[in-house]
Amino acid sequence: MATERIELTILRNLLFTEEYYRKVVPFLKADYFQEHDEKIIFEEIQDFSGKYDKVPTQEVLLINLQNRTDLTEESFNNAVATVKSLTDEWVDFDWVLDATEKWCQDRAIYLALMQSIKIADGGDSKLDKGAIPSILQDALAVSFDEHIGHDYIEQSKDRYEFYHKVEEKIPFDLEKFNYITKGGIPNKTLNIALAGTGVGKSLFMCHMAAASLLQGFNVLYITLEMAEEKIAERVDANLLDIPIQTLSDPLFTKDKYQRKVDSLSKKTQGKLVIKEYPTASAHVGHFKALLNELSLKKGFKPHIIFVDYLNICASSRYKGTIVNSYTYVKAIAEELRGLAGEFNVPIVSATQTTRSGYGNSDVELTDTSESFGLPATADLMFALISTEDMEQINQIMVKQLKNRYNDPTMNKRFVLGIDRTKMRLYDCDQSQQNLVDDGQQEQPVKKSFAELKV
């Protein structure tokens, strides 16, 4: 009876207290109402207010109920009786607001649990068991948010402080990338490299992981394509400054190798952890569990996460065989960006070009493999382009495709030097940049890593 009473109180106040209606209607859902007649009445109130931006009267509700053709006689009579029973009876505003919020939270959690049980029992053909944590998390997050927007005039001082707030960023060791991102990539972002097979997606991420480690950051590298040792081998070649083939050369003894690693360890306070998952088997649920385990067992919290690479991750919400590739890949991107926000880190990943984009010297966003929903989610997206001519002079071209940090028309294209034997990228001089860029070029201001981290 208590649940029915609060539901009737909610409906009554929706009709007779406009302030209450304005406050709570964005958070109410028809599914929260258990009784069918109360759900119908709420749907009518919601539909009317959506069209006319005002609350319907009891008379309007009764007429609208009479015009419905989807109600049985019993449902219609019950709904009419309920509407007629609603009276303009005073109730404390703060109390009813708090009571409504608690009721919404309880109903949201109950419905989420019922949906989770259905998914766990295999009763949902679209959602996978990996979707259960996010469903429960959304239900637990239900609240009547008091923030109703930014007042442009009154909050101008706050806005000015925001403009001048120094944002935490992970800087690159490449001048052009620091220039186009205004000093590096911020936390809570998703950054994507687009390239064809063998162009250098993993090389770019291994280089950036090595550079971040050298700057003293903790780095987590998640690989779903290559073995942990293969990723570590690429990082070794980069950081130890030796050709990758030398690492397996018998003349390169264990003592020589260990001396180089020991020397490297003195140059950084950061740590690098590499974790391998089977292709297409791991999703953000697994990554969250890994992050929590690393924190508990090793006291390791990454400053940046690399995922190699996005298209061969699984989605925690969908089964790949049920939904189309657009929805599936977009879901993975959204989940990774959500992970970046939850753990307050930037995430760097990669994606393949389409068949038409492979070997193309002018890659576009439309050349993104499988899903155009991925560029819509990413904060920074750039193409890595290699041609036979560029390979001969050890260069690779970068083309900005999307950039939320800066104007993407500035330095739209630029070149980097590439040393594939040492898995390393390096800056080219400005004369080389002028040959490739069709936008406005500016010479980046050189800054040390220490300055960029301030």
Side-chain angles (χ1 to χ4, degrees), residues 326-362:
Y326 175 92
T327 303
Y328 194 70
V329 174
K330 187 173 189 293
I332 295 170
E334 290 170 345
E335 291 159 16
L336 282 177
R337 197 170 189 279
L339 181 70
E342 184 177 344
F343 286 87
N344 194 35
V345 294
I347 290 181
V348 179
S349 191
T351 188
Q352 294 270 43
T353 57
T354 58
R355 187 179 300 174
S356 62
Y358 180 73
N360 191 345
S361 61
D362 193 25

mmCIF file of all heavy atoms in Angstrom, residues 326-362:
data_model
loop_
_atom_site.group_PDB
_atom_site.id
_atom_site.type_symbol
_atom_site.label_atom_id
_atom_site.label_comp_id
_atom_site.label_asym_id
_atom_site.label_seq_id
_atom_site.Cartn_x
_atom_site.Cartn_y
_atom_site.Cartn_z
ATOM 1 N N TYR A 326 28.285 -1.102 -37.194
ATOM 2 C CA TYR A 326 28.247 0.311 -36.805
ATOM 3 C C TYR A 326 27.943 0.422 -35.314
ATOM 4 O O TYR A 326 28.660 1.087 -34.560
ATOM 5 C CB TYR A 326 27.181 1.063 -37.608
ATOM 6 C CG TYR A 326 26.992 2.499 -37.169
ATOM 7 C CD1 TYR A 326 27.709 3.540 -37.770
ATOM 8 C CD2 TYR A 326 26.124 2.831 -36.134
ATOM 9 C CE1 TYR A 326 27.563 4.851 -37.357
ATOM 10 C CE2 TYR A 326 25.961 4.137 -35.710
ATOM 11 C CZ TYR A 326 26.684 5.136 -36.339
ATOM 12 O OH TYR A 326 26.535 6.432 -35.907
ATOM 13 N N THR A 327 26.875 -0.232 -34.882
ATOM 14 C CA THR A 327 26.465 -0.174 -33.477
ATOM 15 C C THR A 327 27.510 -0.791 -32.573
ATOM 16 O O THR A 327 27.819 -0.267 -31.495
ATOM 17 C CB THR A 327 25.119 -0.905 -33.294
ATOM 18 O OG1 THR A 327 24.145 -0.311 -34.154
ATOM 19 C CG2 THR A 327 24.634 -0.814 -31.852
ATOM 20 N N TYR A 328 28.076 -1.909 -33.018
ATOM 21 C CA TYR A 328 29.007 -2.657 -32.166
ATOM 22 C C TYR A 328 30.300 -1.877 -31.927
ATOM 23 O O TYR A 328 30.738 -1.708 -30.788
ATOM 24 C CB TYR A 328 29.316 -4.002 -32.820
ATOM 25 C CG TYR A 328 29.989 -4.993 -31.895
ATOM 26 C CD1 TYR A 328 29.283 -5.560 -30.836
ATOM 27 C CD2 TYR A 328 31.314 -5.371 -32.078
ATOM 28 C CE1 TYR A 328 29.882 -6.466 -29.981
ATOM 29 C CE2 TYR A 328 31.918 -6.283 -31.235
ATOM 30 C CZ TYR A 328 31.193 -6.824 -30.187
ATOM 31 O OH TYR A 328 31.788 -7.713 -29.334
ATOM 32 N N VAL A 329 30.916 -1.370 -33.003
ATOM 33 C CA VAL A 329 32.180 -0.642 -32.861
ATOM 34 C C VAL A 329 31.954 0.692 -32.150
ATOM 35 O O VAL A 329 32.776 1.108 -31.328
ATOM 36 C CB VAL A 329 32.847 -0.436 -34.242
ATOM 37 C CG1 VAL A 329 34.083 0.439 -34.125
ATOM 38 C CG2 VAL A 329 33.231 -1.787 -34.840
ATOM 39 N N LYS A 330 30.847 1.354 -32.440
ATOM 40 C CA LYS A 330 30.524 2.604 -31.737
ATOM 41 C C LYS A 330 30.360 2.340 -30.238
ATOM 42 O O LYS A 330 30.810 3.123 -29.396
ATOM 43 C CB LYS A 330 29.251 3.229 -32.295
ATOM 44 C CG LYS A 330 28.940 4.625 -31.735
ATOM 45 C CD LYS A 330 27.759 5.238 -32.479
ATOM 46 C CE LYS A 330 27.575 6.706 -32.082
ATOM 47 N NZ LYS A 330 27.160 6.883 -30.694
ATOM 48 N N ALA A 331 29.733 1.212 -29.896
ATOM 49 C CA ALA A 331 29.568 0.846 -28.490
ATOM 50 C C ALA A 331 30.917 0.640 -27.813
ATOM 51 O O ALA A 331 31.138 1.099 -26.685
ATOM 52 C CB ALA A 331 28.716 -0.418 -28.365
ATOM 53 N N ILE A 332 31.842 -0.041 -28.499
ATOM 54 C CA ILE A 332 33.181 -0.260 -27.927
ATOM 55 C C ILE A 332 33.862 1.078 -27.674
ATOM 56 O O ILE A 332 34.466 1.305 -26.621
ATOM 57 C CB ILE A 332 34.038 -1.136 -28.870
ATOM 58 C CG1 ILE A 332 33.442 -2.536 -28.990
ATOM 59 C CG2 ILE A 332 35.479 -1.223 -28.354
ATOM 60 C CD1 ILE A 332 34.080 -3.386 -30.081
ATOM 61 N N ALA A 333 33.774 1.992 -28.660
ATOM 62 C CA ALA A 333 34.395 3.316 -28.511
ATOM 63 C C ALA A 333 33.788 4.069 -27.336
ATOM 64 O O ALA A 333 34.511 4.681 -26.534
ATOM 65 C CB ALA A 333 34.233 4.115 -29.801
ATOM 66 N N GLU A 334 32.478 4.033 -27.205
ATOM 67 C CA GLU A 334 31.806 4.725 -26.096
ATOM 68 C C GLU A 334 32.208 4.123 -24.756
ATOM 69 O O GLU A 334 32.411 4.847 -23.770
ATOM 70 C CB GLU A 334 30.291 4.643 -26.277
ATOM 71 C CG GLU A 334 29.770 5.478 -27.435
ATOM 72 C CD GLU A 334 28.324 5.204 -27.764
ATOM 73 O OE1 GLU A 334 27.775 4.175 -27.314
ATOM 74 O OE2 GLU A 334 27.727 6.012 -28.503
ATOM 75 N N GLU A 335 32.331 2.807 -24.718
ATOM 76 C CA GLU A 335 32.720 2.140 -23.471
ATOM 77 C C GLU A 335 34.154 2.490 -23.083
ATOM 78 O O GLU A 335 34.447 2.711 -21.896
ATOM 79 C CB GLU A 335 32.536 0.630 -23.620
ATOM 80 C CG GLU A 335 31.073 0.212 -23.700
ATOM 81 C CD GLU A 335 30.872 -1.152 -24.347
ATOM 82 O OE1 GLU A 335 31.863 -1.915 -24.469
ATOM 83 O OE2 GLU A 335 29.733 -1.452 -24.741
ATOM 84 N N LEU A 336 35.052 2.547 -24.074
ATOM 85 C CA LEU A 336 36.441 2.921 -23.785
ATOM 86 C C LEU A 336 36.527 4.368 -23.303
ATOM 87 O O LEU A 336 37.272 4.681 -22.378
ATOM 88 C CB LEU A 336 37.318 2.731 -25.025
ATOM 89 C CG LEU A 336 37.740 1.298 -25.356
ATOM 90 C CD1 LEU A 336 38.540 1.272 -26.654
ATOM 91 C CD2 LEU A 336 38.567 0.684 -24.225
ATOM 92 N N ARG A 337 35.744 5.244 -23.930
ATOM 93 C CA ARG A 337 35.754 6.648 -23.496
ATOM 94 C C ARG A 337 35.165 6.768 -22.089
ATOM 95 O O ARG A 337 35.615 7.569 -21.271
ATOM 96 C CB ARG A 337 34.977 7.524 -24.473
ATOM 97 C CG ARG A 337 35.295 9.004 -24.303
ATOM 98 C CD ARG A 337 34.706 9.850 -25.422
ATOM 99 N NE ARG A 337 35.204 11.212 -25.355
ATOM 100 C CZ ARG A 337 34.717 12.149 -24.542
ATOM 101 N NH1 ARG A 337 33.725 11.864 -23.727
ATOM 102 N NH2 ARG A 337 35.235 13.368 -24.538
ATOM 103 N N GLY A 338 34.161 5.951 -21.798
ATOM 104 C CA GLY A 338 33.612 5.915 -20.444
ATOM 105 C C GLY A 338 34.641 5.432 -19.430
ATOM 106 O O GLY A 338 34.724 5.950 -18.313
ATOM 107 N N LEU A 339 35.443 4.442 -19.829
ATOM 108 C CA LEU A 339 36.516 3.939 -18.960
ATOM 109 C C LEU A 339 37.539 5.044 -18.693
ATOM 110 O O LEU A 339 38.010 5.201 -17.551
ATOM 111 C CB LEU A 339 37.197 2.746 -19.626
ATOM 112 C CG LEU A 339 38.321 2.065 -18.851
ATOM 113 C CD1 LEU A 339 37.764 1.310 -17.648
ATOM 114 C CD2 LEU A 339 39.104 1.104 -19.753
ATOM 115 N N ALA A 340 37.875 5.808 -19.740
ATOM 116 C CA ALA A 340 38.817 6.923 -19.578
ATOM 117 C C ALA A 340 38.279 7.939 -18.576
ATOM 118 O O ALA A 340 39.028 8.461 -17.739
ATOM 119 C CB ALA A 340 39.072 7.596 -20.926
ATOM 120 N N GLY A 341 36.982 8.215 -18.647
ATOM 121 C CA GLY A 341 36.377 9.158 -17.710
ATOM 122 C C GLY A 341 36.329 8.621 -16.296
ATOM 123 O O GLY A 341 36.618 9.334 -15.333
ATOM 124 N N GLU A 342 35.993 7.351 -16.151
ATOM 125 C CA GLU A 342 35.873 6.745 -14.822
ATOM 126 C C GLU A 342 37.211 6.694 -14.091
ATOM 127 O O GLU A 342 37.282 6.927 -12.884
ATOM 128 C CB GLU A 342 35.294 5.336 -14.958
ATOM 129 C CG GLU A 342 35.028 4.650 -13.631
ATOM 130 C CD GLU A 342 34.379 3.292 -13.786
ATOM 131 O OE1 GLU A 342 33.850 2.997 -14.882
ATOM 132 O OE2 GLU A 342 34.408 2.506 -12.813
ATOM 133 N N PHE A 343 38.293 6.410 -14.819
ATOM 134 C CA PHE A 343 39.607 6.281 -14.188
ATOM 135 C C PHE A 343 40.492 7.511 -14.401
ATOM 136 O O PHE A 343 41.658 7.505 -14.031
ATOM 137 C CB PHE A 343 40.312 5.023 -14.694
ATOM 138 C CG PHE A 343 39.737 3.750 -14.123
ATOM 139 C CD1 PHE A 343 38.655 3.133 -14.731
ATOM 140 C CD2 PHE A 343 40.247 3.202 -12.965
ATOM 141 C CE1 PHE A 343 38.093 1.967 -14.202
ATOM 142 C CE2 PHE A 343 39.707 2.048 -12.415
ATOM 143 C CZ PHE A 343 38.627 1.433 -13.046
ATOM 144 N N ASN A 344 39.915 8.551 -15.011
ATOM 145 C CA ASN A 344 40.591 9.851 -15.153
ATOM 146 C C ASN A 344 41.945 9.723 -15.858
ATOM 147 O O ASN A 344 42.962 10.216 -15.383
ATOM 148 C CB ASN A 344 40.767 10.507 -13.777
ATOM 149 C CG ASN A 344 41.141 11.978 -13.879
ATOM 150 O OD1 ASN A 344 40.683 12.679 -14.775
ATOM 151 N ND2 ASN A 344 41.981 12.449 -12.972
ATOM 152 N N VAL A 345 41.933 9.037 -17.002
ATOM 153 C CA VAL A 345 43.152 8.857 -17.795
ATOM 154 C C VAL A 345 42.814 9.068 -19.269
ATOM 155 O O VAL A 345 41.665 8.918 -19.670
ATOM 156 C CB VAL A 345 43.758 7.448 -17.622
ATOM 157 C CG1 VAL A 345 44.251 7.223 -16.217
ATOM 158 C CG2 VAL A 345 42.759 6.367 -18.039
ATOM 159 N N PRO A 346 43.813 9.393 -20.100
ATOM 160 C CA PRO A 346 43.594 9.343 -21.540
ATOM 161 C C PRO A 346 43.767 7.915 -22.037
ATOM 162 O O PRO A 346 44.593 7.164 -21.499
ATOM 163 C CB PRO A 346 44.675 10.262 -22.107
ATOM 164 C CG PRO A 346 45.755 10.265 -21.086
ATOM 165 C CD PRO A 346 45.146 9.948 -19.760
ATOM 166 N N ILE A 347 42.984 7.529 -23.030
ATOM 167 C CA ILE A 347 43.144 6.218 -23.662
ATOM 168 C C ILE A 347 43.536 6.435 -25.120
ATOM 169 O O ILE A 347 42.948 7.261 -25.815
ATOM 170 C CB ILE A 347 41.857 5.377 -23.560
ATOM 171 C CG1 ILE A 347 41.632 4.942 -22.096
ATOM 172 C CG2 ILE A 347 41.921 4.153 -24.471
ATOM 173 C CD1 ILE A 347 40.406 4.085 -21.880
ATOM 174 N N VAL A 348 44.543 5.698 -25.555
ATOM 175 C CA VAL A 348 45.012 5.752 -26.941
ATOM 176 C C VAL A 348 44.765 4.393 -27.568
ATOM 177 O O VAL A 348 45.126 3.361 -26.990
ATOM 178 C CB VAL A 348 46.514 6.103 -27.014
ATOM 179 C CG1 VAL A 348 46.976 6.138 -28.472
ATOM 180 C CG2 VAL A 348 46.792 7.433 -26.334
ATOM 181 N N SER A 349 44.124 4.392 -28.736
ATOM 182 C CA SER A 349 43.877 3.138 -29.432
ATOM 183 C C SER A 349 44.013 3.373 -30.932
ATOM 184 O O SER A 349 44.457 4.433 -31.366
ATOM 185 C CB SER A 349 42.488 2.580 -29.075
ATOM 186 O OG SER A 349 42.355 1.246 -29.550
ATOM 187 N N ALA A 350 43.641 2.373 -31.711
ATOM 188 C CA ALA A 350 43.803 2.468 -33.159
ATOM 189 C C ALA A 350 42.664 1.735 -33.843
ATOM 190 O O ALA A 350 41.923 0.963 -33.216
ATOM 191 C CB ALA A 350 45.144 1.870 -33.579
ATOM 192 N N THR A 351 42.510 2.002 -35.137
ATOM 193 C CA THR A 351 41.507 1.309 -35.937
ATOM 194 C C THR A 351 42.041 1.127 -37.351
ATOM 195 O O THR A 351 42.966 1.833 -37.779
ATOM 196 C CB THR A 351 40.174 2.088 -35.955
ATOM 197 O OG1 THR A 351 39.168 1.293 -36.597
ATOM 198 C CG2 THR A 351 40.309 3.414 -36.690
ATOM 199 N N GLN A 352 41.452 0.194 -38.068
ATOM 200 C CA GLN A 352 41.880 -0.103 -39.434
ATOM 201 C C GLN A 352 41.186 0.819 -40.433
ATOM 202 O O GLN A 352 40.066 1.271 -40.199
ATOM 203 C CB GLN A 352 41.500 -1.543 -39.796
ATOM 204 C CG GLN A 352 42.247 -2.597 -38.999
ATOM 205 C CD GLN A 352 43.533 -3.010 -39.691
ATOM 206 O OE1 GLN A 352 44.265 -2.183 -40.202
ATOM 207 N NE2 GLN A 352 43.817 -4.300 -39.696
ATOM 208 N N THR A 353 41.833 1.045 -41.563
ATOM 209 C CA THR A 353 41.168 1.706 -42.679
ATOM 210 C C THR A 353 40.339 0.672 -43.447
ATOM 211 O O THR A 353 40.544 -0.537 -43.315
ATOM 212 C CB THR A 353 42.180 2.318 -43.665
ATOM 213 O OG1 THR A 353 43.056 1.288 -44.119
ATOM 214 C CG2 THR A 353 42.986 3.418 -43.024
ATOM 215 N N THR A 354 39.407 1.173 -44.238
ATOM 216 C CA THR A 354 38.660 0.296 -45.130
ATOM 217 C C THR A 354 39.571 -0.176 -46.265
ATOM 218 O O THR A 354 40.691 0.299 -46.421
ATOM 219 C CB THR A 354 37.460 1.042 -45.744
ATOM 220 O OG1 THR A 354 37.962 2.188 -46.437
ATOM 221 C CG2 THR A 354 36.484 1.477 -44.683
ATOM 222 N N ARG A 355 39.048 -1.080 -47.086
ATOM 223 C CA ARG A 355 39.835 -1.565 -48.220
ATOM 224 C C ARG A 355 40.195 -0.426 -49.167
ATOM 225 O O ARG A 355 41.303 -0.348 -49.686
ATOM 226 C CB ARG A 355 39.037 -2.634 -48.966
ATOM 227 C CG ARG A 355 39.826 -3.327 -50.070
ATOM 228 C CD ARG A 355 38.990 -4.383 -50.764
ATOM 229 N NE ARG A 355 38.536 -5.411 -49.841
ATOM 230 C CZ ARG A 355 37.694 -6.386 -50.163
ATOM 231 N NH1 ARG A 355 37.212 -6.450 -51.397
ATOM 232 N NH2 ARG A 355 37.335 -7.276 -49.269
ATOM 233 N N SER A 356 39.225 0.510 -49.360
ATOM 234 C CA SER A 356 39.501 1.643 -50.249
ATOM 235 C C SER A 356 40.511 2.597 -49.635
ATOM 236 O O SER A 356 41.258 3.272 -50.339
ATOM 237 C CB SER A 356 38.200 2.399 -50.560
ATOM 238 O OG SER A 356 37.639 2.931 -49.371
ATOM 239 N N GLY A 357 40.563 2.661 -48.318
ATOM 240 C CA GLY A 357 41.502 3.551 -47.650
ATOM 241 C C GLY A 357 42.908 2.993 -47.575
ATOM 242 O O GLY A 357 43.882 3.731 -47.408
ATOM 243 N N TYR A 358 43.024 1.672 -47.722
ATOM 244 C CA TYR A 358 44.352 1.053 -47.627
ATOM 245 C C TYR A 358 45.209 1.489 -48.817
ATOM 246 O O TYR A 358 44.829 1.375 -49.970
ATOM 247 C CB TYR A 358 44.223 -0.473 -47.603
ATOM 248 C CG TYR A 358 45.551 -1.175 -47.501
ATOM 249 C CD1 TYR A 358 46.259 -1.171 -46.307
ATOM 250 C CD2 TYR A 358 46.102 -1.828 -48.596
ATOM 251 C CE1 TYR A 358 47.493 -1.805 -46.202
ATOM 252 C CE2 TYR A 358 47.323 -2.465 -48.507
ATOM 253 C CZ TYR A 358 48.010 -2.452 -47.291
ATOM 254 O OH TYR A 358 49.218 -3.090 -47.198
ATOM 255 N N GLY A 359 46.369 2.020 -48.539
ATOM 256 C CA GLY A 359 47.255 2.473 -49.598
ATOM 257 C C GLY A 359 46.903 3.834 -50.163
ATOM 258 O O GLY A 359 47.598 4.349 -51.034
ATOM 259 N N ASN A 360 45.813 4.426 -49.646
ATOM 260 C CA ASN A 360 45.396 5.745 -50.112
ATOM 261 C C ASN A 360 46.294 6.802 -49.470
ATOM 262 O O ASN A 360 46.530 6.783 -48.261
ATOM 263 C CB ASN A 360 43.930 5.973 -49.711
ATOM 264 C CG ASN A 360 43.328 7.200 -50.365
ATOM 265 O OD1 ASN A 360 44.051 8.044 -50.895
ATOM 266 N ND2 ASN A 360 42.013 7.283 -50.334
ATOM 267 N N SER A 361 46.757 7.747 -50.277
ATOM 268 C CA SER A 361 47.632 8.786 -49.735
ATOM 269 C C SER A 361 46.861 9.966 -49.177
ATOM 270 O O SER A 361 47.445 10.931 -48.705
ATOM 271 C CB SER A 361 48.592 9.275 -50.834
ATOM 272 O OG SER A 361 47.861 9.823 -51.919
ATOM 273 N N ASP A 362 45.517 9.892 -49.216
ATOM 274 C CA ASP A 362 44.691 10.982 -48.677
ATOM 275 C C ASP A 362 43.497 10.388 -47.948
ATOM 276 O O ASP A 362 42.356 10.465 -48.390
ATOM 277 C CB ASP A 362 44.236 11.912 -49.801
ATOM 278 C CG ASP A 362 43.662 13.223 -49.260
ATOM 279 O OD1 ASP A 362 44.033 13.612 -48.138
ATOM 280 O OD2 ASP A 362 42.826 13.829 -49.948
#
